[in-house]
Amino acid sequence: MVPGEENQLVPKEIENAAEEPRVLCIIQDITNSKTVNERITLNLPASTPLRKLFEDVANKVGYINGTFDLVWGNGINTADMAPLDHTSDKSLLDANFEPGKKNFLHLTDKDGEQPQIMLEDSSAGDDSAHDRFIGPLPREGSVGSTSDYVSQSYSYSSILNKSETGYVGLVNQAMTCYLNSLLQTLFMTPEFRNALYKWEFEESEEDPVTSIPYQLQRLFVLLQTSKKRAIETTDVTRSFGWDSSEAWQQHDVQELCRVMFDALEQKWKQTEQADLINELYQGKLKDYVRCLECGYEGWRIDTYLDIPLVIRPYGSSQAFASVEEALHAFIQPEILDGPNQYFCERCKKKCDARKGLRFLHFPYLLTLQLKRFDFDYTTMHRIKLNDRMTFPEELDMSTFIDVEDEKSPQTESCTDSGAENEGSCHSDQMSNDFSNDDGVDEGICLESNSGTEKISKPGLEKNSLIYELFSVMVHSGSAAGGHYYACIKSFSDDQWYSFNDQHVSRITQEDIKKTHGGSSGSRGYYSSAFASSTNAYMLIYRLKDPTRNAKFLEVDEYPEHIKNLVQRERELEEQEKRQREIERNTCKIKLFCLHPVKQVMMENKLEVHKDKTLKEAVEIAYKMMDLEEVIPVDCCRLVKYDEFHDYLERSYEGEEDTPMGLLLGGVKSTYMFDLLLETRKPDQVFQSYKPGEVMVKVHVVDLKAESVAAPITVRAYLNQTITEFKQLISKAIHLPAETMRIVLERCYNDLRLLTVPSKTLKAEGFFRSNKVFVESSESLDYQMAFTDSHLWKLLDRHANTIRLFVLLPEQSPGSYSKRTAYQKAGGDSGNVDDDCERVKGPVGNLKSVEAILEESTEKLKSLSLQQQQDGDNGDSSKSTETSDFENIESPLNERDSSTSVDNRELEQHLQTSDPENFQSEERSDSDVNNDRSTSSVDSDILSSSHSSDTLCNADNAQIPLANGLDTHSITSSRRTKSNEGKKETWDTAEEDSGTDSEYDESGKSRGEIQYMYFKAEPYAADEGSGEGHKWLMVHVDKRITLAAFKQHLEPFVGVLSSHFKVFRVYASNQEFESVRLNETLSSFSDDNKITIRLGRALKKGEYRVKVYQLLVNEQEPCKFLLDAVFAKGMTVRQSKEELIPQLREQCGLELSIDRFRLRKKTWKNPGTVFLDYHIYEEDINISSNWEVFLEVLDGVEKMKSMSQLAVLSRRWRPSEMKLDPFQEVVLESSSVDELREKLCEISGIPLDDIEFAKGRGTFPCDISVLDIHQDLDWNPKVSTLNVWPLYICDDGAVIFYRDKTEELMELTDEQRNELMKKESSRLQKTGHRVTYSPRKEKALKIYLDGAPNKDLTQD
């Protein structure tokens, strides 16, 4: 809060109405006139007339009175309430307002029009008043005015109205409050502003975008002439060379002041303003040392732009009480004695001396920085000192000029440094200045410095040095961050104002005193690092000199170029104002259009002025939807549309000349409805849509063809009966109403047969948009119970069928020779039983799968041809669809159809055959193989160690194998189980009892014979998926289980379902394996994508595991090897045995079982070493998508017991500035002494000289060699490793150790910089931080060329 505003938060009460009951009114603006709607509170006397209430509300929210309505908002529907009369003299009490209670009102649009915002110029007499200096305006309102408090919530509309003070604020870009404070101070400095106006920008010499003085000039002109409440500073910061990220960096305002002044001096070289900064802000001081024995004095002259004043002396708990006291301390000399003695050039020896500073010259504008930010070496935190320090309104600086005026007769030595240290004062009291601790060159980016100024002898000023305070820059917050604002006194009326970003308000001298500081309560020696307080940080005084004190330039005194600039900026602002007015009167609403040719619903945003007619809006929408070359504009119209319910609410017949503002109910930011650009054919006539009608989409069902037609839209009324509704539909679709059955789908899978002729549509549950299915055949199906009828089953299947796109695995020609599954013996193509026999011949006589698939396809084609000749009404005769499922094949129809004898025999054979025919035998441990990528093919999916599998399928439809994709439907008996009660939650294999398997533990199929719809056909993807990939478009009942779904896919993949995996594709092409075979596809939806990958699917109790190699001494210690399958109850040694052949074939690693180990992997950290006898799920918790490390051993495994502890040690050699490679140390216990002994053994360091520290962060705990010696916690005082601060309780911890007698290498600056670059490069490659020190602040820089150049010399 800005100082002085707290006394404005409560409206003042009228003194003579103290005893009168008061009415609390809470008004919520629910219009769309502003980006952020305000909520205002009024506490008025009960006798206040309604007319006065409207006036007070208008003043508060900034609307013109009479352009808005007030309605009751106490939980009452505002649409049913009449608005209050804004002209009435009736009192609030008589208007049913309740004293002592909250009276809620809503501020609404008036007659469909939004309230008009009160603009600044709406009450101005003439525009010429704005040409004058915009200074303070007289305070409006009398005692008790409700305008004393206005909501401070910022919105875009709030910046349109200037503050009542007449001053313009600055918008905070993000964290640029420090910049705003300085800019407002400079703007309110007459000498600076006038000099800036006199400078003329030459566009031929410089780009205006990068010219800092020009952008400051523009900003000042806008601050002086704009009618807005606040203006942006983005153009100024862009001229600094800053991008948007700089807006999120908060800097020190004093640092900004120095850097900006340096930049301006560089820009103003060789102009009249070249020495402006020095003339206004630069002072001079003498830095001297005087020998106390001979009086010899050595000195130099320094210049400064500000004087830094210490709040609290170093080592003291008492702060200076005032600025005067701090100034005296600033020039107080110190004695150099003892080890700090000064070498006197005259005495030729070290002598006691006096060192200090003397002011020689004070600037016209005196800047004092109160050094409230310090560094606490105890907590190693930056802190803010909130101690109280007073400062006067008038400051007499004459007492500080050359305080010690003792001139020794001896010769003085002058070391003339000139402007070498310009802008900074060197005193011992600045030793704690944290801003320069990192040696970063903060400032503007220059290649050369300015010349030096020579001063031969200091001149003393004897004139009056009375300074008056005119700017206080305040910091509110802590050292960790905060907020800046400025309290500035206007030289026009001597009134103080608070410039707090976009808010400008009057304040008093009492508010200035509140910025003196002073923490509440005792905070000990230092204030807390995060203690927040509000206090002055920078003070600016101006010398009281009538001969120099300037006034702001009047309009007639403006230079010609400034007059032109004022005119240009005014025109731009007027243009922006007109654009805002257009925006405020523009209706923006969603527009939809069903393309008449493509039949695709298009969406856009229609922006039309409220005064445009409906006919003009149709032409705009017509062009927006690019329909010029499709249909004439006469065939288009706009109708009111509800996109959510797909409901046409009404049409606008006869209203072609009505303004859109009236049709849409005014200009709003959002509408509760949309518009549809409806089209018709030239020979058609538009249907009239009336409010109150309901829209019904009618789907005609053909029981014989088992098809559901595309919808036809009819409109009805809710009070119509079912009989009347049937007559209406009969006319629309030309079906007899007598035999018509109507089924209403109220929601998903909720089908209701409408059987009561006299019941109304409203009673049956019709709403705005409805879907019905109509069937009017003369079959006997209507005599059956609805849930047993053919109609219900067809509609049930229609409602539960989804469309999926399945990507089949790549059929790599090179991989077929390695597969030995889906093989069949030769024989007659008509003998299906022969096809189903197992082939038990030797492996060498097996055919390639490619040849088998071609042969199978030919046989099945002939089988399909035979079926068609026998009169089978199969699916192949239906190739086109008028809707999504117009030709949905029925399992009932197919079951009753006349199939061939061979097919019936095949079906009977498969249903009675041994279940073992449907699964492969258990694979040996050495044959486990897994996918590694989408394109990889499992070469050992079906190895010779397995029994051969059958080629036959348990369906009576045509079955083209692998990629011979003929359109067909598999709808007869399957080994499936519809588990409708469950939903697939997440595609992982993690369950309490392992992974669901297609087979139970006895090896028998878990399926039941059910008829679930499945239809698959080839699909040409829009984008090529690579050679060898093919897509299927599958229509399937989503109540089917994953197991049954996979079995349906077997003929297309070419292998058994147990030998391929199903991956569901999510957003961003993320894939997750679906493994819960007993769950349904209910979580899938239309157009979901599925990827099929070859590889053995998981069985019950199996888990897929990712194996990574641990390489402790490599730059990347974690390397992926392969995917493996571990089973519950398996020992670690068994899993290692299975891994050996996979490592050899896939990774080229030849390992013996005793030369590698498995261990826990937690992200990149190695953990517990798994011993060979450990059992998964018993000793080792295992889960889905588990990850383990494989570590190759150099020798025999040393880990034999769980009581042992394996740590990774690394020696640090400070004398060489390097780290040795990792070495594993196996401990029998958690004893620190044992660790020291082991480190002594491997390193040869004496036991007493070993120091160790635990590594930080993730493995390999990388740290810069420049930081390791001092940043780690060396030699912790503990006896065991499993206690604080080590907490080493598991294998894999990193231990650094060193020889404490080894000295740290001394580096030159060049060596240190070189090493820093190497370490930075090394650690960035490994993804580790260069240092664990707190983040350094980004240096504040202003780039003179308008853009930053990369400085390769800085870190």
Side-chain angles (χ1 to χ4, degrees):
M1 183 184 298
V2 180
E5 286 191 351
E6 59 267 17
N7 59 358
Q8 300 177 2
L9 291 177
V10 181
K12 300 174 183 177
E13 298 184 1
I14 305 173
E15 294 179 4
N16 59 10
E19 297 180 359
E20 181 183 354
R22 304 187 72 80
V23 175
L24 181 64
C25 303
I26 301 175
I27 300 99
Q28 176 67 52
D29 184 0
I30 62 172
T31 67
N32 295 298
S33 295
K34 298 183 178 181
T35 307
V36 178
N37 289 341
E38 292 178 311
R39 179 173 178 169
I40 60 176
T41 302
L42 299 178
N43 190 9
L44 303 174
S47 61
T48 304
L50 282 175
R51 172 177 46 77
K52 184 65 168 64
L53 170 66
F54 274 85
E55 292 174 1
D56 290 343
V57 171
N59 289 333
K60 273 204 169 186
V61 297
Y63 293 151
I64 296 177
N65 194 8
T67 64
F68 60 87
D69 281 334
L70 293 178
V71 297
W72 287 104
N74 293 331
I76 304 173
N77 186 0
T78 58
D80 300 333
M81 292 293 297
L84 300 176
D85 185 1
H86 74 282
T87 62
S88 173
D89 289 326
K90 187 187 296 185
S91 69
L92 298 181
L93 199 59
D94 295 337
N96 299 323
F97 282 77
E98 298 183 63
K101 292 186 178 180
K102 295 179 179 179
N103 296 271
F104 291 95
L105 297 171
H106 285 167
L107 191 154
T108 64
D109 298 339
K110 186 176 181 67
D111 300 328
E113 293 287 334
Q114 288 187 354
Q116 297 180 25
I117 296 176
M118 189 185 304
L119 299 177
E120 179 68 21
D121 58 349
S122 62
S123 60
D126 61 280
D127 291 341
S128 63
H130 295 284
D131 293 336
R132 300 190 303 273
F133 161 65
I134 302 300
L137 300 177
R139 179 187 289 271
E140 297 177 356
S142 59
V143 178
S145 170
T146 57
S147 61
D148 285 347
Y149 168 64
V150 179
S151 171
Q152 294 296 318
S153 61
Y154 172 71
S155 67
Y156 178 73
S157 60
S158 69
I159 71 171
L160 303 182
N161 304 315
K162 186 182 292 187
S163 163
E164 63 175 9
T165 63
Y167 289 107
V168 178
L170 294 174
V171 176
N172 191 334
Q173 295 183 36
M175 298 176 71
T176 57
C177 52
Y178 68 101
L179 173 66
N180 292 349
S181 302
L182 181 61
L183 290 176
Q184 291 283 20
T185 298
L186 296 177
F187 173 73
M188 295 295 286
T189 306
E191 293 77 9
F192 185 88
R193 192 205 298 184
N194 294 345
L196 182 66
Y197 280 178
K198 291 177 181 178
W199 175 80
E200 184 173 359
F201 172 67
E202 297 291 342
E203 191 165 358
S204 59
E205 298 179 2
E206 189 177 6
D207 183 0
V209 175
T210 61
S211 174
I212 298 173
Y214 176 68
Q215 294 302 333
L216 281 178
Q217 205 174 67
R218 284 189 61 236
L219 182 75
F220 283 14
V221 166
L222 289 173
L223 285 173
Q224 190 166 351
T225 63
S226 177
K227 300 172 185 177
K228 295 181 181 179
R229 177 179 293 271
I231 57 176
E232 299 280 353
T233 59
T234 49
D235 288 340
V236 174
T237 55
R238 191 177 295 114
S239 70
F240 290 172
W242 294 359
D243 55 23
S244 57
S245 65
E246 292 286 350
W248 294 92
Q249 293 278 341
Q250 188 177 71
H251 293 289
D252 186 280
V253 67
Q254 181 262 351
E255 179 188 16
L256 172 68
C257 184
R258 289 189 184 182
V259 175
M260 185 188 291
F261 283 174
D262 285 347
L264 287 172
E265 284 187 317
Q266 295 297 322
K267 288 287 187 178
W268 278 336
K269 281 183 176 180
Q270 298 177 353
T271 67
E272 291 182 17
Q273 292 74 24
D275 204 34
L276 175 66
I277 301 299
N278 292 338
E279 290 175 357
L280 295 179
Y281 296 94
Q282 183 175 274
K284 295 184 178 63
L285 54 77
K286 177 194 287 187
D287 186 355
Y288 69 91
V289 180
R290 173 174 290 183
C291 177
L292 294 181
E293 292 189 13
C294 68
Y296 176 82
E297 183 178 281
W299 53 269
R300 68 176 183 181
I301 303 300
D302 284 333
T303 59
Y304 62 89
L305 294 178
D306 56 68
I307 302 174
L309 299 180
V310 174
I311 298 290
R312 188 189 301 163
Y314 181 71
S316 172
S317 59
Q318 187 68 34
F320 295 124
S322 65
V323 164
E324 296 94 323
E325 191 176 328
L327 280 168
H328 280 293
F330 185 84
I331 60 176
Q332 180 68 32
E334 65 169 330
I335 302 300
L336 303 180
D337 56 5
N340 294 326
Q341 278 187 324
Y342 166 70
F343 184 83
C344 178
E345 294 291 341
R346 174 161 295 181
C347 300
K348 301 299 182 182
K349 65 173 182 176
K350 286 190 175 182
C351 305
D352 290 350
R354 178 181 297 154
K355 183 180 187 302
L357 299 170
R358 298 186 189 130
F359 288 114
L360 302 180
H361 166 69
F362 287 115
Y364 176 69
L365 297 173
L366 178 66
T367 304
L368 303 179
Q369 180 205 3
L370 309 185
K371 297 182 62 179
R372 293 196 173 274
F373 298 109
D374 210 332
F375 192 80
D376 186 351
Y377 288 96
T378 304
T379 61
M380 303 303 288
H381 277 297
R382 287 177 57 178
I383 58 173
K384 182 182 177 185
L385 304 175
N386 294 310
D387 302 81
R388 179 177 176 82
M389 176 178 278
T390 64
F391 45 86
E393 191 169 2
E394 287 193 352
L395 179 62
D396 185 1
M397 295 297 291
S398 60
T399 57
F400 303 101
I401 281 285
D402 210 358
V403 176
E404 185 176 285
D405 200 15
E406 303 171 10
K407 299 299 177 184
S408 173
Q410 288 86 352
T411 305
E412 295 181 345
S413 170
C414 173
T415 305
D416 185 8
S417 64
E420 178 183 345
N421 297 302
E422 178 178 342
S424 63
C425 301
H426 295 270
S427 75
D428 293 338
Q429 295 165 358
M430 297 178 61
S431 58
N432 289 333
D433 190 351
F434 63 85
S435 63
N436 297 320
D437 58 348
D438 294 323
V440 179
D441 182 18
E442 300 181 354
I444 60 174
C445 295
L446 297 173
E447 296 183 0
S448 61
N449 295 327
S450 60
T452 60
E453 179 186 354
K454 300 295 181 180
I455 300 175
S456 59
K457 195 168 185 177
L460 304 180
E461 296 184 359
K462 300 299 182 181
N463 299 329
S464 172
L465 292 175
I466 303 299
Y467 284 82
E468 61 176 325
L469 179 69
F470 78 96
S471 176
V472 180
M473 279 173 256
V474 181
H475 181 268
S476 176
S478 67
H483 176 63
Y484 285 99
Y485 61 91
C487 300
I488 306 174
K489 184 175 73 171
S490 170
F491 289 115
S492 299
D493 63 351
D494 289 336
Q495 170 67 45
W496 282 92
Y497 296 92
S498 169
F499 291 84
N500 190 351
D501 288 337
Q502 62 263 27
H503 302 294
V504 184
S505 59
R506 290 184 180 89
I507 55 174
T508 65
Q509 188 64 36
E510 290 300 316
D511 298 315
I512 300 298
K513 292 180 180 179
K514 293 176 183 177
T515 66
H516 289 168
S519 301
S520 57
S522 175
R523 298 188 183 273
Y525 179 74
Y526 277 117
S527 302
S528 166
F530 298 98
S532 178
S533 188
T534 301
N535 34 53
Y537 181 64
M538 268 186 74
L539 310 173
I540 301 184
Y541 287 83
R542 185 176 78 161
L543 181 66
K544 296 186 71 172
D545 183 355
T547 62
R548 295 188 63 183
N549 296 157
K551 293 183 179 180
F552 296 105
L553 291 177
E554 298 293 337
V555 177
D556 54 0
E557 298 174 327
Y558 284 169
E560 194 61 32
H561 64 275
I562 294 297
K563 291 180 181 179
N564 296 334
L565 180 59
V566 169
Q567 184 62 30
R568 288 199 305 269
E569 294 300 331
R570 178 175 295 155
E571 291 173 358
L572 287 174
E573 191 164 302
E574 287 298 322
Q575 182 180 348
E576 184 183 343
K577 177 183 172 182
R578 288 192 296 270
Q579 187 61 37
R580 282 200 310 268
E581 187 67 21
I582 293 173
E583 288 288 323
R584 197 172 72 86
N585 292 290
T586 299
C587 302
K588 299 178 182 179
I589 188 169
K590 269 189 179 181
L591 175 67
F592 294 90
C593 178
L594 182 65
H595 197 280
V597 176
K598 301 177 182 177
Q599 292 297 305
V600 175
M601 183 64 83
M602 301 182 293
E603 179 182 345
N604 213 320
K605 193 165 193 175
L606 177 65
E607 297 186 3
V608 58
H609 194 276
K610 68 176 184 178
D611 296 332
K612 292 281 187 181
T613 63
L614 176 62
K615 184 177 181 180
E616 292 172 319
V618 170
E619 294 174 355
I620 295 173
Y622 174 75
K623 294 178 181 178
M624 184 180 294
M625 290 299 182
D626 294 327
L627 300 180
E628 291 97 330
E629 299 180 2
V630 181
I631 54 173
V633 69
D634 297 339
C635 294
C636 300
R637 70 169 179 176
L638 286 173
V639 295
K640 193 175 181 180
Y641 178 59
D642 180 357
E643 189 260 343
F644 182 78
H645 295 101
D646 193 17
Y647 171 59
L648 297 171
E649 295 192 23
R650 61 159 297 190
S651 53
Y652 300 105
E653 285 83 5
E655 299 187 75
E656 287 77 10
D657 296 326
T658 304
M660 291 297 292
L662 287 179
L663 288 181
L664 301 179
V667 180
K668 300 179 180 180
S669 59
T670 56
Y671 291 89
M672 300 302 293
F673 56 91
D674 312 302
L675 290 179
L676 175 74
L677 185 65
E678 192 178 21
T679 60
R680 64 174 175 84
K681 295 180 180 178
D683 57 343
Q684 291 179 329
V685 178
F686 280 123
Q687 184 180 353
S688 176
Y689 306 138
K690 299 178 181 178
E693 293 179 333
V694 294
M695 193 168 72
V696 185
K697 293 184 177 180
V698 181
H699 295 263
V700 178
V701 180
D702 188 340
L703 290 183
K704 292 183 180 179
E706 294 193 340
S707 64
V708 179
I712 298 173
T713 301
V714 298
R715 295 180 73 87
Y717 289 97
L718 291 176
N719 57 0
Q720 284 182 322
T721 63
I722 299 301
T723 302
E724 295 170 337
F725 186 52
K726 286 184 178 180
Q727 296 293 335
L728 180 65
I729 294 178
S730 177
K731 293 179 182 178
I733 61 177
H734 308 294
L735 289 179
E738 296 76 17
T739 58
M740 185 180 293
R741 283 187 291 174
I742 300 179
V743 179
L744 170 65
E745 182 181 275
R746 294 192 300 181
C747 57
Y748 167 69
N749 229 13
D750 181 7
L751 302 174
R752 171 183 288 191
L753 182 65
L754 307 183
T755 57
V756 183
S758 61
K759 212 168 182 180
T760 64
L761 299 185
K762 184 175 183 180
E764 288 288 7
F766 277 68
F767 188 55
R768 310 179 77 182
S769 182
N770 310 272
K771 181 195 287 188
V772 297
F773 299 93
V774 175
E775 191 276 328
S776 189
S777 66
E778 298 182 357
S779 66
L780 300 179
D781 187 63
Y782 72 93
Q783 297 179 355
M784 303 177 65
F786 178 56
T787 54
D788 295 329
S789 67
H790 189 185
L791 175 62
W792 183 88
K793 292 177 181 177
L794 183 61
L795 294 180
D796 176 68
R797 188 183 74 192
H798 173 77
N800 288 285
T801 301
I802 57 175
R803 180 174 67 180
L804 302 175
F805 293 99
V806 180
L807 177 62
L808 296 176
E810 180 180 1
Q811 300 297 322
S812 174
S815 63
Y816 284 121
S817 60
K818 298 181 181 179
R819 297 189 187 149
T820 56
Y822 272 75
Q823 307 157 21
K824 50 191 296 252
D828 184 40
S829 62
N831 190 348
V832 181
D833 288 345
D834 288 346
D835 292 342
C836 296
E837 289 183 0
R838 295 189 180 185
V839 179
K840 300 181 180 179
V843 176
N845 295 332
L846 297 177
K847 297 181 180 180
S848 71
V849 174
E850 190 172 17
I852 294 170
L853 295 180
E854 291 178 2
E855 186 177 346
S856 303
T857 303
E858 292 301 322
K859 286 188 176 184
L860 290 167
K861 284 182 179 178
S862 63
L863 178 62
S864 174
L865 182 62
Q866 178 184 351
Q867 289 176 340
Q868 293 178 13
Q869 292 172 351
D870 290 343
D872 176 39
N873 54 351
D875 302 326
S876 58
S877 62
K878 304 170 185 178
S879 58
T880 60
E881 297 180 343
T882 58
S883 66
D884 286 346
F885 305 104
E886 183 175 335
N887 292 299
I888 295 180
E889 287 70 22
S890 169
L892 302 174
N893 195 40
E894 193 166 334
R895 188 181 182 185
D896 296 335
S897 61
S898 57
T899 57
S900 66
V901 176
D902 290 336
N903 276 334
R904 292 199 186 104
E905 290 178 358
L906 170 61
E907 184 180 44
Q908 183 179 6
H909 172 83
L910 291 176
Q911 290 181 4
T912 58
S913 62
D914 189 353
E916 292 182 358
N917 289 340
F918 300 113
Q919 68 178 90
S920 63
E921 296 179 358
E922 186 67 26
R923 299 182 63 186
S924 66
D925 293 334
S926 61
D927 290 329
V928 179
N929 201 315
N930 301 280
D931 258 2
R932 294 181 61 187
S933 65
T934 306
S935 60
S936 64
V937 178
D938 205 344
S939 58
D940 293 330
I941 292 174
L942 305 168
S943 65
S944 58
S945 62
H946 298 280
S947 60
S948 302
D949 293 311
T950 60
L951 174 64
C952 56
N953 185 23
D955 300 309
N956 59 352
Q958 56 228 40
I959 314 171
L961 295 182
N963 286 330
L965 302 177
D966 290 337
T967 302
H968 77 292
S969 176
I970 303 176
T971 54
S972 33
S973 62
R974 299 296 303 175
R975 309 179 302 269
T976 67
K977 181 176 182 180
S978 178
N979 202 344
E980 300 178 21
K982 293 186 179 181
K983 283 191 175 183
E984 187 173 355
T985 55
W986 191 253
D987 293 332
T988 65
E990 186 176 357
E991 284 193 349
D992 294 337
S993 59
T995 307
D996 289 332
S997 173
E998 183 181 349
Y999 307 100
D1000 59 22
E1001 294 180 356
S1002 65
K1004 295 184 178 181
S1005 172
R1006 297 170 58 182
E1008 293 180 0
I1009 298 176
Q1010 293 244 339
Y1011 297 94
M1012 288 293 175
Y1013 180 75
F1014 180 96
K1015 176 187 174 183
E1017 58 187 85
Y1019 172 73
D1022 293 337
E1023 298 179 3
S1025 54
E1027 293 295 330
H1029 284 91
K1030 290 194 177 181
W1031 286 86
L1032 282 183
M1033 183 169 64
V1034 177
H1035 290 93
V1036 62
D1037 193 318
K1038 62 183 176 182
R1039 296 169 294 187
I1040 196 172
T1041 63
L1042 178 62
F1045 180 66
K1046 290 183 65 175
Q1047 290 172 351
H1048 282 304
L1049 290 174
E1050 282 180 358
F1052 303 100
V1053 181
V1055 295
L1056 286 178
S1057 60
S1058 59
H1059 291 149
F1060 65 83
K1061 298 169 284 186
V1062 175
F1063 288 84
R1064 184 173 178 178
V1065 182
Y1066 290 89
S1068 304
N1069 291 325
Q1070 289 183 313
E1071 295 183 356
F1072 293 93
E1073 185 179 1
S1074 298
V1075 294
R1076 298 184 177 179
L1077 299 176
N1078 63 335
E1079 292 192 353
T1080 67
L1081 304 183
S1082 57
S1083 66
F1084 288 76
S1085 57
D1086 271 334
D1087 297 337
N1088 279 174
K1089 291 183 180 180
I1090 290 175
T1091 299
I1092 303 297
R1093 295 184 185 173
L1094 298 178
R1096 183 168 71 81
L1098 298 178
K1099 296 183 180 179
K1100 187 178 181 67
E1102 291 185 334
Y1103 299 90
R1104 202 167 306 283
V1105 178
K1106 291 185 178 297
V1107 182
Y1108 293 80
Q1109 185 176 2
L1110 177 63
L1111 304 164
V1112 294
N1113 287 309
E1114 296 292 331
Q1115 184 173 332
E1116 179 51 59
C1118 180
K1119 176 186 176 183
F1120 176 76
L1121 292 177
L1122 50 80
D1123 282 331
V1125 176
F1126 290 178
K1128 176 182 177 181
M1130 178 186 289
T1131 65
V1132 173
R1133 188 174 184 86
Q1134 288 174 333
S1135 64
K1136 288 166 66 176
E1137 289 173 350
E1138 291 199 359
L1139 282 175
I1140 289 175
Q1142 298 178 55
L1143 292 169
R1144 180 174 56 251
E1145 295 172 11
Q1146 297 185 33
C1147 309
L1149 289 176
E1150 255 329 317
L1151 298 174
S1152 63
I1153 196 167
D1154 295 324
R1155 292 301 301 275
F1156 73 95
R1157 63 159 70 130
L1158 300 180
R1159 65 190 303 167
K1160 182 179 178 180
K1161 178 181 182 290
T1162 306
W1163 194 30
K1164 293 184 178 181
N1165 298 312
T1168 308
V1169 175
F1170 299 147
L1171 305 181
D1172 283 354
Y1173 57 82
H1174 283 163
I1175 300 175
Y1176 297 115
E1177 284 279 357
E1178 293 183 13
D1179 303 311
I1180 303 171
N1181 291 327
I1182 190 171
S1183 60
S1184 147
N1185 296 320
W1186 200 45
E1187 295 180 346
V1188 296
F1189 269 129
L1190 180 150
E1191 185 179 11
V1192 179
L1193 300 174
D1194 295 331
V1196 180
E1197 174 65 84
K1198 297 179 183 179
M1199 292 291 290
K1200 304 294 183 183
S1201 167
M1202 286 299 293
S1203 63
Q1204 293 175 305
L1205 186 67
V1207 298
L1208 293 165
S1209 66
R1210 196 170 190 187
R1211 180 172 179 177
W1212 159 241
R1213 299 182 181 271
S1215 62
E1216 304 176 33
M1217 297 294 283
K1218 74 172 187 177
L1219 286 162
D1220 285 355
F1222 279 104
Q1223 287 182 281
E1224 185 177 74
V1225 175
V1226 177
L1227 306 175
E1228 301 299 324
S1229 66
S1230 296
S1231 167
V1232 170
D1233 292 338
E1234 184 184 359
L1235 174 63
R1236 290 178 179 277
E1237 292 172 0
K1238 294 284 187 179
L1239 295 177
C1240 176
E1241 291 177 10
I1242 63 175
S1243 67
I1245 302 173
L1247 189 62
D1248 295 338
D1249 295 336
I1250 285 183
E1251 290 184 336
F1252 71 93
K1254 182 184 176 182
R1256 295 174 181 169
T1258 58
F1259 186 81
C1261 306
D1262 260 331
I1263 184 172
S1264 170
V1265 296
L1266 294 171
D1267 301 329
I1268 186 173
H1269 202 70
Q1270 65 274 3
D1271 277 10
L1272 294 183
D1273 298 326
W1274 290 98
N1275 218 26
K1277 305 300 182 183
V1278 292
S1279 58
T1280 59
L1281 300 176
N1282 56 3
V1283 298
W1284 184 87
L1286 297 177
Y1287 285 127
I1288 298 176
C1289 306
D1290 196 6
D1291 302 326
V1294 173
I1295 296 293
F1296 293 100
Y1297 67 96
R1298 68 185 180 190
D1299 185 346
K1300 70 178 183 180
T1301 63
E1302 190 174 344
E1303 295 291 334
L1304 184 66
M1305 177 191 292
E1306 292 187 7
L1307 299 173
T1308 64
D1309 290 344
E1310 185 178 346
Q1311 289 175 325
R1312 181 174 295 278
N1313 289 335
E1314 186 66 27
L1315 189 57
M1316 184 183 294
K1317 289 180 182 179
K1318 289 182 180 179
E1319 285 296 281
S1320 176
S1321 175
R1322 178 180 70 87
L1323 295 179
Q1324 284 175 358
K1325 288 179 181 178
T1326 59
H1328 287 75
R1329 294 174 56 184
V1330 178
T1331 176
Y1332 288 94
S1333 302
R1335 178 180 60 87
K1336 295 181 180 179
E1337 290 187 1
K1338 186 177 180 180
L1340 174 65
K1341 295 193 177 185
I1342 291 178
Y1343 304 90
L1344 297 182
D1345 58 353
N1349 295 320
K1350 293 184 179 179
D1351 190 351
L1352 302 178
T1353 64
Q1354 291 191 14
D1355 181 21

